Amino acid sequence: MAENTEPSNLEAGDHQSYMEFALSLATISPPKPTNYRVGAVVVDTATNEILATGYTLELPGNTHAEQCCFEKLAKKYSVPSDRLGEVLPDSVILYTTVEPCSQRLSGNLPCVDRILAIGNKIKTVFAGVYEPEKFVSANSSKRKLEAAGIEFVHVAGLEKEILDVATAGHEKSI
Ligand code: HJL
Ligand code: ZN
């Protein structure tokens, strides 16, 4: 089960296991009716080291999982968030259970724009599901990432589990 996944056991390129680890992070996120519970992991492809993990609302404020990864990395490398691209290793990849947001109802900076601001250090974004059309419609992150030369890969197989965790705090319609 996802909860038992040991990050130290994860092999490079085992996208399914990284996604399960991201899902285990999502389960820690406090349920909230107005967003999704998401988990995210940033990996250095040269060393296969996990550079940062994040989950929705992990950091103070209305924080997204990917945003938490980037804020934690900025702190780790002692730079402001907008200079993260200068200090990250040359090739990193992002796993996120739900595709990065391209619009936020709160008006905060969408995670796809945070990724694009980091620039060409992020090579690939692996997403477990596309964003459901509940809060915003027509998520454009895949198109925007690909337009910027960042590969977008849908890691299939965990959709039900990811959506169950993501929507746990939502009112269920019968
Ligand atoms: C992703 C997250 C998260 C969302 N998506 N990829 N990671 N919470 O950690 C997307 C959803 C927004 C709503 C509400 N959720 O979160 O579209 O209040 O949560 O800014 O649009 O916006 P706020
Ligand atoms: Zn986001």
Side-chain angles (χ1 to χ4, degrees), residues 29 32 34-39 55-57 62-67 96-109 111 131-132 134-136 139:
S29 178
K32 185 176 172 185
T34 54
N35 70 11
Y36 300 109
R37 298 162 80 211
V38 179
Y55 57 85
T56 311
L57 303 180
N62 180 8
T63 49
H64 280 190
E66 306 91 318
Q67 176 185 1
T96 179
T97 55
V98 177
E99 74 176 314
C101 65
S102 59
Q103 189 194 337
R104 296 181 62 164
L105 292 184
S106 63
N108 284 340
L109 185 68
C111 293
E131 179 172 352
K134 184 166 188 168
F135 301 121
V136 300
N139 186 312

PDB file of all heavy atoms in Angstrom, residues 29 32 34-39 55-57 62-67 96-109 111 131-132 134-136 139, ligand 1:
ATOM      1  N   SER A  29      -2.559  15.392   4.027  1.00  0.00           N
ATOM      2  CA  SER A  29      -3.136  16.735   3.873  1.00  0.00           C
ATOM      3  C   SER A  29      -4.493  16.827   4.561  1.00  0.00           C
ATOM      4  O   SER A  29      -5.315  15.916   4.449  1.00  0.00           O
ATOM      5  CB  SER A  29      -3.283  17.033   2.377  1.00  0.00           C
ATOM      6  OG  SER A  29      -3.881  18.283   2.193  1.00  0.00           O
ATOM      7  N   LYS A  32     -10.232  19.605   2.906  1.00  0.00           N
ATOM      8  CA  LYS A  32     -10.787  20.951   2.763  1.00  0.00           C
ATOM      9  C   LYS A  32     -11.755  20.919   1.584  1.00  0.00           C
ATOM     10  O   LYS A  32     -11.396  20.425   0.515  1.00  0.00           O
ATOM     11  CB  LYS A  32      -9.630  21.938   2.504  1.00  0.00           C
ATOM     12  CG  LYS A  32     -10.038  23.400   2.453  1.00  0.00           C
ATOM     13  CD  LYS A  32      -8.802  24.295   2.285  1.00  0.00           C
ATOM     14  CE  LYS A  32      -9.209  25.734   2.043  1.00  0.00           C
ATOM     15  NZ  LYS A  32      -8.059  26.613   1.749  1.00  0.00           N
ATOM     16  N   THR A  34     -12.788  23.027  -0.479  1.00  0.00           N
ATOM     17  CA  THR A  34     -12.610  23.911  -1.633  1.00  0.00           C
ATOM     18  C   THR A  34     -11.321  23.671  -2.428  1.00  0.00           C
ATOM     19  O   THR A  34     -10.938  24.495  -3.241  1.00  0.00           O
ATOM     20  CB  THR A  34     -12.632  25.386  -1.178  1.00  0.00           C
ATOM     21  OG1 THR A  34     -11.640  25.548  -0.141  1.00  0.00           O
ATOM     22  CG2 THR A  34     -14.001  25.777  -0.646  1.00  0.00           C
ATOM     23  N   ASN A  35     -10.643  22.576  -2.146  1.00  0.00           N
ATOM     24  CA  ASN A  35      -9.498  22.242  -3.007  1.00  0.00           C
ATOM     25  C   ASN A  35      -9.316  20.723  -3.025  1.00  0.00           C
ATOM     26  O   ASN A  35     -10.163  19.985  -2.532  1.00  0.00           O
ATOM     27  CB  ASN A  35      -8.216  22.975  -2.560  1.00  0.00           C
ATOM     28  CG  ASN A  35      -7.664  22.470  -1.245  1.00  0.00           C
ATOM     29  OD1 ASN A  35      -8.097  21.428  -0.721  1.00  0.00           O
ATOM     30  ND2 ASN A  35      -6.707  23.179  -0.693  1.00  0.00           N
ATOM     31  N   TYR A  36      -8.232  20.278  -3.610  1.00  0.00           N
ATOM     32  CA  TYR A  36      -7.920  18.849  -3.620  1.00  0.00           C
ATOM     33  C   TYR A  36      -6.765  18.575  -2.671  1.00  0.00           C
ATOM     34  O   TYR A  36      -5.930  19.436  -2.432  1.00  0.00           O
ATOM     35  CB  TYR A  36      -7.528  18.392  -5.027  1.00  0.00           C
ATOM     36  CG  TYR A  36      -8.607  18.612  -6.039  1.00  0.00           C
ATOM     37  CD1 TYR A  36      -8.479  19.589  -7.016  1.00  0.00           C
ATOM     38  CD2 TYR A  36      -9.774  17.857  -6.004  1.00  0.00           C
ATOM     39  CE1 TYR A  36      -9.488  19.816  -7.944  1.00  0.00           C
ATOM     40  CE2 TYR A  36     -10.787  18.077  -6.917  1.00  0.00           C
ATOM     41  CZ  TYR A  36     -10.636  19.055  -7.882  1.00  0.00           C
ATOM     42  OH  TYR A  36     -11.637  19.272  -8.786  1.00  0.00           O
ATOM     43  N   ARG A  37      -6.733  17.367  -2.147  1.00  0.00           N
ATOM     44  CA  ARG A  37      -5.579  16.927  -1.343  1.00  0.00           C
ATOM     45  C   ARG A  37      -4.596  16.259  -2.313  1.00  0.00           C
ATOM     46  O   ARG A  37      -4.888  15.192  -2.866  1.00  0.00           O
ATOM     47  CB  ARG A  37      -6.007  15.926  -0.283  1.00  0.00           C
ATOM     48  CG  ARG A  37      -6.998  16.479   0.727  1.00  0.00           C
ATOM     49  CD  ARG A  37      -7.684  15.340   1.439  1.00  0.00           C
ATOM     50  NE  ARG A  37      -6.896  14.757   2.506  1.00  0.00           N
ATOM     51  CZ  ARG A  37      -6.959  13.478   2.866  1.00  0.00           C
ATOM     52  NH1 ARG A  37      -7.731  12.630   2.199  1.00  0.00           N
ATOM     53  NH2 ARG A  37      -6.254  13.040   3.883  1.00  0.00           N
ATOM     54  N   VAL A  38      -3.463  16.899  -2.452  1.00  0.00           N
ATOM     55  CA  VAL A  38      -2.499  16.481  -3.470  1.00  0.00           C
ATOM     56  C   VAL A  38      -1.153  16.233  -2.795  1.00  0.00           C
ATOM     57  O   VAL A  38      -0.821  16.874  -1.783  1.00  0.00           O
ATOM     58  CB  VAL A  38      -2.377  17.592  -4.546  1.00  0.00           C
ATOM     59  CG1 VAL A  38      -1.359  17.225  -5.623  1.00  0.00           C
ATOM     60  CG2 VAL A  38      -3.748  17.864  -5.181  1.00  0.00           C
ATOM     61  N   GLY A  39      -0.379  15.310  -3.343  1.00  0.00           N
ATOM     62  CA  GLY A  39       0.992  15.086  -2.890  1.00  0.00           C
ATOM     63  C   GLY A  39       1.943  15.281  -4.053  1.00  0.00           C
ATOM     64  O   GLY A  39       1.584  15.014  -5.211  1.00  0.00           O
ATOM     65  N   TYR A  55       2.751  18.466   0.310  1.00  0.00           N
ATOM     66  CA  TYR A  55       1.330  18.119   0.192  1.00  0.00           C
ATOM     67  C   TYR A  55       0.498  19.373   0.439  1.00  0.00           C
ATOM     68  O   TYR A  55       0.987  20.349   1.033  1.00  0.00           O
ATOM     69  CB  TYR A  55       0.932  16.975   1.139  1.00  0.00           C
ATOM     70  CG  TYR A  55       1.207  17.210   2.598  1.00  0.00           C
ATOM     71  CD1 TYR A  55       0.299  17.887   3.405  1.00  0.00           C
ATOM     72  CD2 TYR A  55       2.381  16.737   3.178  1.00  0.00           C
ATOM     73  CE1 TYR A  55       0.558  18.095   4.762  1.00  0.00           C
ATOM     74  CE2 TYR A  55       2.656  16.943   4.521  1.00  0.00           C
ATOM     75  CZ  TYR A  55       1.737  17.614   5.300  1.00  0.00           C
ATOM     76  OH  TYR A  55       1.997  17.822   6.636  1.00  0.00           O
ATOM     77  N   THR A  56      -0.713  19.334  -0.027  1.00  0.00           N
ATOM     78  CA  THR A  56      -1.600  20.484   0.053  1.00  0.00           C
ATOM     79  C   THR A  56      -1.761  20.950   1.500  1.00  0.00           C
ATOM     80  O   THR A  56      -2.039  20.127   2.382  1.00  0.00           O
ATOM     81  CB  THR A  56      -2.985  20.123  -0.530  1.00  0.00           C
ATOM     82  OG1 THR A  56      -2.799  19.504  -1.800  1.00  0.00           O
ATOM     83  CG2 THR A  56      -3.862  21.373  -0.674  1.00  0.00           C
ATOM     84  N   LEU A  57      -1.567  22.231   1.733  1.00  0.00           N
ATOM     85  CA  LEU A  57      -1.694  22.888   3.045  1.00  0.00           C
ATOM     86  C   LEU A  57      -0.600  22.462   4.025  1.00  0.00           C
ATOM     87  O   LEU A  57      -0.736  22.669   5.225  1.00  0.00           O
ATOM     88  CB  LEU A  57      -3.087  22.655   3.666  1.00  0.00           C
ATOM     89  CG  LEU A  57      -4.284  23.112   2.817  1.00  0.00           C
ATOM     90  CD1 LEU A  57      -5.605  22.812   3.549  1.00  0.00           C
ATOM     91  CD2 LEU A  57      -4.211  24.599   2.488  1.00  0.00           C
ATOM     92  N   ASN A  62      -2.625  29.132   2.244  1.00  0.00           N
ATOM     93  CA  ASN A  62      -3.394  28.327   1.304  1.00  0.00           C
ATOM     94  C   ASN A  62      -2.429  27.732   0.278  1.00  0.00           C
ATOM     95  O   ASN A  62      -2.364  28.175  -0.856  1.00  0.00           O
ATOM     96  CB  ASN A  62      -4.438  29.253   0.659  1.00  0.00           C
ATOM     97  CG  ASN A  62      -5.312  28.539  -0.343  1.00  0.00           C
ATOM     98  OD1 ASN A  62      -5.249  27.312  -0.469  1.00  0.00           O
ATOM     99  ND2 ASN A  62      -6.108  29.290  -1.067  1.00  0.00           N
ATOM    100  N   THR A  63      -1.671  26.734   0.722  1.00  0.00           N
ATOM    101  CA  THR A  63      -0.564  26.256  -0.106  1.00  0.00           C
ATOM    102  C   THR A  63      -0.886  24.955  -0.845  1.00  0.00           C
ATOM    103  O   THR A  63      -1.501  24.061  -0.286  1.00  0.00           O
ATOM    104  CB  THR A  63       0.706  26.030   0.742  1.00  0.00           C
ATOM    105  OG1 THR A  63       0.362  25.246   1.895  1.00  0.00           O
ATOM    106  CG2 THR A  63       1.311  27.347   1.188  1.00  0.00           C
ATOM    107  N   HIS A  64      -0.448  24.891  -2.071  1.00  0.00           N
ATOM    108  CA  HIS A  64      -0.599  23.676  -2.874  1.00  0.00           C
ATOM    109  C   HIS A  64       0.623  22.770  -2.706  1.00  0.00           C
ATOM    110  O   HIS A  64       1.699  23.224  -2.292  1.00  0.00           O
ATOM    111  CB  HIS A  64      -0.774  24.044  -4.347  1.00  0.00           C
ATOM    112  CG  HIS A  64      -2.176  24.465  -4.680  1.00  0.00           C
ATOM    113  ND1 HIS A  64      -2.617  24.639  -5.962  1.00  0.00           N
ATOM    114  CD2 HIS A  64      -3.233  24.736  -3.873  1.00  0.00           C
ATOM    115  CE1 HIS A  64      -3.892  24.997  -5.947  1.00  0.00           C
ATOM    116  NE2 HIS A  64      -4.287  25.061  -4.691  1.00  0.00           N
ATOM    117  N   ALA A  65       0.446  21.506  -3.055  1.00  0.00           N
ATOM    118  CA  ALA A  65       1.519  20.515  -2.866  1.00  0.00           C
ATOM    119  C   ALA A  65       2.787  20.902  -3.619  1.00  0.00           C
ATOM    120  O   ALA A  65       3.894  20.879  -3.054  1.00  0.00           O
ATOM    121  CB  ALA A  65       1.023  19.151  -3.347  1.00  0.00           C
ATOM    122  N   GLU A  66       2.629  21.264  -4.884  1.00  0.00           N
ATOM    123  CA  GLU A  66       3.794  21.620  -5.714  1.00  0.00           C
ATOM    124  C   GLU A  66       4.448  22.889  -5.163  1.00  0.00           C
ATOM    125  O   GLU A  66       5.669  23.008  -5.099  1.00  0.00           O
ATOM    126  CB  GLU A  66       3.365  21.840  -7.167  1.00  0.00           C
ATOM    127  CG  GLU A  66       2.588  20.674  -7.787  1.00  0.00           C
ATOM    128  CD  GLU A  66       1.080  20.807  -7.613  1.00  0.00           C
ATOM    129  OE1 GLU A  66       0.618  21.188  -6.513  1.00  0.00           O
ATOM    130  OE2 GLU A  66       0.365  20.504  -8.573  1.00  0.00           O
ATOM    131  N   GLN A  67       3.600  23.829  -4.776  1.00  0.00           N
ATOM    132  CA  GLN A  67       4.079  25.085  -4.186  1.00  0.00           C
ATOM    133  C   GLN A  67       4.894  24.807  -2.926  1.00  0.00           C
ATOM    134  O   GLN A  67       5.952  25.430  -2.712  1.00  0.00           O
ATOM    135  CB  GLN A  67       2.847  25.944  -3.866  1.00  0.00           C
ATOM    136  CG  GLN A  67       3.108  27.248  -3.174  1.00  0.00           C
ATOM    137  CD  GLN A  67       1.795  27.944  -2.809  1.00  0.00           C
ATOM    138  OE1 GLN A  67       0.707  27.413  -3.064  1.00  0.00           O
ATOM    139  NE2 GLN A  67       1.885  29.121  -2.233  1.00  0.00           N
ATOM    140  N   THR A  96       3.353  14.619  -9.267  1.00  0.00           N
ATOM    141  CA  THR A  96       2.239  15.188  -8.523  1.00  0.00           C
ATOM    142  C   THR A  96       1.002  14.336  -8.767  1.00  0.00           C
ATOM    143  O   THR A  96       0.766  13.886  -9.898  1.00  0.00           O
ATOM    144  CB  THR A  96       2.006  16.673  -8.895  1.00  0.00           C
ATOM    145  OG1 THR A  96       0.890  17.168  -8.156  1.00  0.00           O
ATOM    146  CG2 THR A  96       1.768  16.870 -10.389  1.00  0.00           C
ATOM    147  N   THR A  97       0.252  14.085  -7.698  1.00  0.00           N
ATOM    148  CA  THR A  97      -0.890  13.185  -7.872  1.00  0.00           C
ATOM    149  C   THR A  97      -1.944  13.797  -8.795  1.00  0.00           C
ATOM    150  O   THR A  97      -2.565  13.089  -9.578  1.00  0.00           O
ATOM    151  CB  THR A  97      -1.529  12.812  -6.516  1.00  0.00           C
ATOM    152  OG1 THR A  97      -1.885  14.001  -5.806  1.00  0.00           O
ATOM    153  CG2 THR A  97      -0.572  11.961  -5.674  1.00  0.00           C
ATOM    154  N   VAL A  98      -2.125  15.112  -8.695  1.00  0.00           N
ATOM    155  CA  VAL A  98      -3.062  15.823  -9.582  1.00  0.00           C
ATOM    156  C   VAL A  98      -2.240  16.792 -10.427  1.00  0.00           C
ATOM    157  O   VAL A  98      -1.323  17.439  -9.908  1.00  0.00           O
ATOM    158  CB  VAL A  98      -4.122  16.604  -8.780  1.00  0.00           C
ATOM    159  CG1 VAL A  98      -5.044  17.391  -9.716  1.00  0.00           C
ATOM    160  CG2 VAL A  98      -4.941  15.652  -7.910  1.00  0.00           C
ATOM    161  N   GLU A  99      -2.564  16.889 -11.687  1.00  0.00           N
ATOM    162  CA  GLU A  99      -1.772  17.774 -12.558  1.00  0.00           C
ATOM    163  C   GLU A  99      -1.695  19.181 -11.962  1.00  0.00           C
ATOM    164  O   GLU A  99      -2.625  19.632 -11.288  1.00  0.00           O
ATOM    165  CB  GLU A  99      -2.382  17.834 -13.961  1.00  0.00           C
ATOM    166  CG  GLU A  99      -3.650  18.649 -14.053  1.00  0.00           C
ATOM    167  CD  GLU A  99      -4.195  18.777 -15.470  1.00  0.00           C
ATOM    168  OE1 GLU A  99      -3.421  19.066 -16.397  1.00  0.00           O
ATOM    169  OE2 GLU A  99      -5.420  18.588 -15.631  1.00  0.00           O
ATOM    170  N   PRO A 100      -0.603  19.889 -12.190  1.00  0.00           N
ATOM    171  CA  PRO A 100      -0.454  21.234 -11.617  1.00  0.00           C
ATOM    172  C   PRO A 100      -1.625  22.126 -12.022  1.00  0.00           C
ATOM    173  O   PRO A 100      -2.133  22.025 -13.135  1.00  0.00           O
ATOM    174  CB  PRO A 100       0.856  21.731 -12.233  1.00  0.00           C
ATOM    175  CG  PRO A 100       1.603  20.500 -12.601  1.00  0.00           C
ATOM    176  CD  PRO A 100       0.568  19.490 -12.983  1.00  0.00           C
ATOM    177  N   CYS A 101      -2.022  22.996 -11.106  1.00  0.00           N
ATOM    178  CA  CYS A 101      -3.138  23.897 -11.422  1.00  0.00           C
ATOM    179  C   CYS A 101      -2.683  24.960 -12.413  1.00  0.00           C
ATOM    180  O   CYS A 101      -1.520  25.370 -12.437  1.00  0.00           O
ATOM    181  CB  CYS A 101      -3.688  24.534 -10.152  1.00  0.00           C
ATOM    182  SG  CYS A 101      -2.524  25.623  -9.302  1.00  0.00           S
ATOM    183  N   SER A 102      -3.626  25.397 -13.241  1.00  0.00           N
ATOM    184  CA  SER A 102      -3.336  26.495 -14.170  1.00  0.00           C
ATOM    185  C   SER A 102      -4.159  27.723 -13.820  1.00  0.00           C
ATOM    186  O   SER A 102      -4.012  28.778 -14.442  1.00  0.00           O
ATOM    187  CB  SER A 102      -3.606  26.071 -15.614  1.00  0.00           C
ATOM    188  OG  SER A 102      -4.951  25.677 -15.774  1.00  0.00           O
ATOM    189  N   GLN A 103      -5.037  27.562 -12.851  1.00  0.00           N
ATOM    190  CA  GLN A 103      -5.860  28.672 -12.371  1.00  0.00           C
ATOM    191  C   GLN A 103      -6.278  28.327 -10.951  1.00  0.00           C
ATOM    192  O   GLN A 103      -6.497  27.154 -10.640  1.00  0.00           O
ATOM    193  CB  GLN A 103      -7.115  28.810 -13.251  1.00  0.00           C
ATOM    194  CG  GLN A 103      -7.922  30.056 -12.978  1.00  0.00           C
ATOM    195  CD  GLN A 103      -9.312  29.982 -13.628  1.00  0.00           C
ATOM    196  OE1 GLN A 103      -9.514  29.247 -14.595  1.00  0.00           O
ATOM    197  NE2 GLN A 103     -10.262  30.705 -13.077  1.00  0.00           N
ATOM    198  N   ARG A 104      -6.349  29.347 -10.082  1.00  0.00           N
ATOM    199  CA  ARG A 104      -6.776  29.096  -8.705  1.00  0.00           C
ATOM    200  C   ARG A 104      -7.923  30.027  -8.367  1.00  0.00           C
ATOM    201  O   ARG A 104      -7.861  31.226  -8.629  1.00  0.00           O
ATOM    202  CB  ARG A 104      -5.608  29.338  -7.734  1.00  0.00           C
ATOM    203  CG  ARG A 104      -4.458  28.378  -7.950  1.00  0.00           C
ATOM    204  CD  ARG A 104      -3.329  28.618  -6.981  1.00  0.00           C
ATOM    205  NE  ARG A 104      -3.729  28.413  -5.589  1.00  0.00           N
ATOM    206  CZ  ARG A 104      -2.875  28.259  -4.590  1.00  0.00           C
ATOM    207  NH1 ARG A 104      -1.569  28.269  -4.845  1.00  0.00           N
ATOM    208  NH2 ARG A 104      -3.293  28.092  -3.351  1.00  0.00           N
ATOM    209  N   LEU A 105      -8.938  29.468  -7.756  1.00  0.00           N
ATOM    210  CA  LEU A 105     -10.098  30.286  -7.399  1.00  0.00           C
ATOM    211  C   LEU A 105      -9.710  31.405  -6.445  1.00  0.00           C
ATOM    212  O   LEU A 105     -10.308  32.470  -6.453  1.00  0.00           O
ATOM    213  CB  LEU A 105     -11.197  29.412  -6.786  1.00  0.00           C
ATOM    214  CG  LEU A 105     -11.876  28.429  -7.739  1.00  0.00           C
ATOM    215  CD1 LEU A 105     -13.006  27.700  -7.024  1.00  0.00           C
ATOM    216  CD2 LEU A 105     -12.398  29.124  -8.991  1.00  0.00           C
ATOM    217  N   SER A 106      -8.690  31.164  -5.628  1.00  0.00           N
ATOM    218  CA  SER A 106      -8.242  32.188  -4.670  1.00  0.00           C
ATOM    219  C   SER A 106      -7.490  33.317  -5.347  1.00  0.00           C
ATOM    220  O   SER A 106      -7.243  34.357  -4.734  1.00  0.00           O
ATOM    221  CB  SER A 106      -7.304  31.546  -3.646  1.00  0.00           C
ATOM    222  OG  SER A 106      -6.145  31.046  -4.297  1.00  0.00           O
ATOM    223  N   GLY A 107      -7.080  33.102  -6.607  1.00  0.00           N
ATOM    224  CA  GLY A 107      -6.305  34.126  -7.291  1.00  0.00           C
ATOM    225  C   GLY A 107      -4.812  34.022  -7.035  1.00  0.00           C
ATOM    226  O   GLY A 107      -4.032  34.816  -7.575  1.00  0.00           O
ATOM    227  N   ASN A 108      -4.388  33.063  -6.229  1.00  0.00           N
ATOM    228  CA  ASN A 108      -2.949  32.868  -6.005  1.00  0.00           C
ATOM    229  C   ASN A 108      -2.268  32.416  -7.297  1.00  0.00           C
ATOM    230  O   ASN A 108      -2.916  31.940  -8.221  1.00  0.00           O
ATOM    231  CB  ASN A 108      -2.720  31.811  -4.913  1.00  0.00           C
ATOM    232  CG  ASN A 108      -2.988  32.361  -3.533  1.00  0.00           C
ATOM    233  OD1 ASN A 108      -2.991  33.568  -3.320  1.00  0.00           O
ATOM    234  ND2 ASN A 108      -3.226  31.467  -2.589  1.00  0.00           N
ATOM    235  N   LEU A 109      -0.949  32.537  -7.305  1.00  0.00           N
ATOM    236  CA  LEU A 109      -0.198  32.150  -8.506  1.00  0.00           C
ATOM    237  C   LEU A 109      -0.364  30.651  -8.762  1.00  0.00           C
ATOM    238  O   LEU A 109      -0.066  29.825  -7.887  1.00  0.00           O
ATOM    239  CB  LEU A 109       1.285  32.478  -8.316  1.00  0.00           C
ATOM    240  CG  LEU A 109       2.184  32.248  -9.529  1.00  0.00           C
ATOM    241  CD1 LEU A 109       1.849  33.236 -10.644  1.00  0.00           C
ATOM    242  CD2 LEU A 109       3.653  32.361  -9.137  1.00  0.00           C
ATOM    243  N   CYS A 111       0.326  26.841  -9.922  1.00  0.00           N
ATOM    244  CA  CYS A 111       1.569  26.061  -9.848  1.00  0.00           C
ATOM    245  C   CYS A 111       2.233  25.914 -11.204  1.00  0.00           C
ATOM    246  O   CYS A 111       3.460  25.818 -11.278  1.00  0.00           O
ATOM    247  CB  CYS A 111       1.297  24.703  -9.216  1.00  0.00           C
ATOM    248  SG  CYS A 111       0.846  24.862  -7.477  1.00  0.00           S
ATOM    249  N   GLU A 131      -6.777  17.315 -13.697  1.00  0.00           N
ATOM    250  CA  GLU A 131      -7.630  17.981 -12.702  1.00  0.00           C
ATOM    251  C   GLU A 131      -9.105  17.858 -13.085  1.00  0.00           C
ATOM    252  O   GLU A 131      -9.495  18.224 -14.190  1.00  0.00           O
ATOM    253  CB  GLU A 131      -7.257  19.469 -12.582  1.00  0.00           C
ATOM    254  CG  GLU A 131      -8.154  20.180 -11.564  1.00  0.00           C
ATOM    255  CD  GLU A 131      -7.748  21.610 -11.236  1.00  0.00           C
ATOM    256  OE1 GLU A 131      -6.676  22.064 -11.675  1.00  0.00           O
ATOM    257  OE2 GLU A 131      -8.527  22.259 -10.510  1.00  0.00           O
ATOM    258  N   PRO A 132      -9.932  17.354 -12.160  1.00  0.00           N
ATOM    259  CA  PRO A 132     -11.366  17.303 -12.439  1.00  0.00           C
ATOM    260  C   PRO A 132     -11.917  18.724 -12.641  1.00  0.00           C
ATOM    261  O   PRO A 132     -11.341  19.687 -12.151  1.00  0.00           O
ATOM    262  CB  PRO A 132     -11.953  16.674 -11.163  1.00  0.00           C
ATOM    263  CG  PRO A 132     -10.807  16.011 -10.480  1.00  0.00           C
ATOM    264  CD  PRO A 132      -9.593  16.814 -10.841  1.00  0.00           C
ATOM    265  N   LYS A 134     -14.137  20.510 -11.336  1.00  0.00           N
ATOM    266  CA  LYS A 134     -15.030  20.899 -10.254  1.00  0.00           C
ATOM    267  C   LYS A 134     -14.862  22.363  -9.864  1.00  0.00           C
ATOM    268  O   LYS A 134     -15.835  23.086  -9.671  1.00  0.00           O
ATOM    269  CB  LYS A 134     -14.734  20.011  -9.047  1.00  0.00           C
ATOM    270  CG  LYS A 134     -15.651  20.249  -7.869  1.00  0.00           C
ATOM    271  CD  LYS A 134     -15.501  19.121  -6.875  1.00  0.00           C
ATOM    272  CE  LYS A 134     -16.544  19.224  -5.782  1.00  0.00           C
ATOM    273  NZ  LYS A 134     -16.596  18.004  -4.982  1.00  0.00           N
ATOM    274  N   PHE A 135     -13.635  22.803  -9.714  1.00  0.00           N
ATOM    275  CA  PHE A 135     -13.372  24.174  -9.271  1.00  0.00           C
ATOM    276  C   PHE A 135     -13.039  25.087 -10.447  1.00  0.00           C
ATOM    277  O   PHE A 135     -13.497  26.214 -10.510  1.00  0.00           O
ATOM    278  CB  PHE A 135     -12.233  24.203  -8.247  1.00  0.00           C
ATOM    279  CG  PHE A 135     -12.500  23.381  -7.026  1.00  0.00           C
ATOM    280  CD1 PHE A 135     -11.667  22.339  -6.671  1.00  0.00           C
ATOM    281  CD2 PHE A 135     -13.616  23.648  -6.236  1.00  0.00           C
ATOM    282  CE1 PHE A 135     -11.926  21.576  -5.545  1.00  0.00           C
ATOM    283  CE2 PHE A 135     -13.879  22.883  -5.110  1.00  0.00           C
ATOM    284  CZ  PHE A 135     -13.030  21.848  -4.760  1.00  0.00           C
ATOM    285  N   VAL A 136     -12.205  24.604 -11.328  1.00  0.00           N
ATOM    286  CA  VAL A 136     -11.890  25.367 -12.534  1.00  0.00           C
ATOM    287  C   VAL A 136     -12.029  24.420 -13.711  1.00  0.00           C
ATOM    288  O   VAL A 136     -11.857  23.206 -13.568  1.00  0.00           O
ATOM    289  CB  VAL A 136     -10.451  25.953 -12.491  1.00  0.00           C
ATOM    290  CG1 VAL A 136     -10.276  26.891 -11.313  1.00  0.00           C
ATOM    291  CG2 VAL A 136      -9.420  24.854 -12.456  1.00  0.00           C
ATOM    292  N   ASN A 139      -8.199  22.866 -17.396  1.00  0.00           N
ATOM    293  CA  ASN A 139      -6.826  23.050 -16.924  1.00  0.00           C
ATOM    294  C   ASN A 139      -5.872  23.032 -18.131  1.00  0.00           C
ATOM    295  O   ASN A 139      -5.910  22.118 -18.940  1.00  0.00           O
ATOM    296  CB  ASN A 139      -6.472  21.923 -15.948  1.00  0.00           C
ATOM    297  CG  ASN A 139      -5.109  22.112 -15.308  1.00  0.00           C
ATOM    298  OD1 ASN A 139      -4.129  22.390 -15.985  1.00  0.00           O
ATOM    299  ND2 ASN A 139      -5.049  21.945 -14.004  1.00  0.00           N
TER     300      ASN A 139
HETATM  301  C1  HJL B   1      -2.941  20.766  -7.345  1.00  0.00           C
HETATM  302  C2  HJL B   1      -2.881  21.118  -5.025  1.00  0.00           C
HETATM  303  C3  HJL B   1      -4.239  21.575  -5.076  1.00  0.00           C
HETATM  304  C4  HJL B   1      -4.891  21.637  -6.325  1.00  0.00           C
HETATM  305  N1  HJL B   1      -4.224  21.196  -7.435  1.00  0.00           N
HETATM  306  N2  HJL B   1      -2.315  20.349  -8.472  1.00  0.00           N
HETATM  307  N3  HJL B   1      -2.276  20.732  -6.181  1.00  0.00           N
HETATM  308  N4  HJL B   1      -4.873  21.944  -3.940  1.00  0.00           N
HETATM  309  O1  HJL B   1      -2.231  21.056  -3.962  1.00  0.00           O
HETATM  310  C5  HJL B   1      -6.641  22.758  -7.643  1.00  0.00           C
HETATM  311  C6  HJL B   1      -7.921  23.549  -7.439  1.00  0.00           C
HETATM  312  C7  HJL B   1      -7.742  24.747  -6.488  1.00  0.00           C
HETATM  313  C8  HJL B   1      -9.008  25.573  -6.460  1.00  0.00           C
HETATM  314  C9  HJL B   1      -9.098  26.523  -5.267  1.00  0.00           C
HETATM  315  N5  HJL B   1      -6.160  22.114  -6.406  1.00  0.00           N
HETATM  316  O2  HJL B   1      -6.460  26.374  -3.802  1.00  0.00           O
HETATM  317  O3  HJL B   1      -8.300  24.048  -8.720  1.00  0.00           O
HETATM  318  O4  HJL B   1      -7.966  28.155  -2.950  1.00  0.00           O
HETATM  319  O5  HJL B   1      -7.426  24.298  -5.209  1.00  0.00           O
HETATM  320  O6  HJL B   1      -6.125  28.747  -4.550  1.00  0.00           O
HETATM  321  O7  HJL B   1      -9.100  26.356  -7.658  1.00  0.00           O
HETATM  322  O8  HJL B   1      -8.068  27.482  -5.340  1.00  0.00           O
HETATM  323  P1  HJL B   1      -7.099  27.685  -4.096  1.00  0.00           P
END
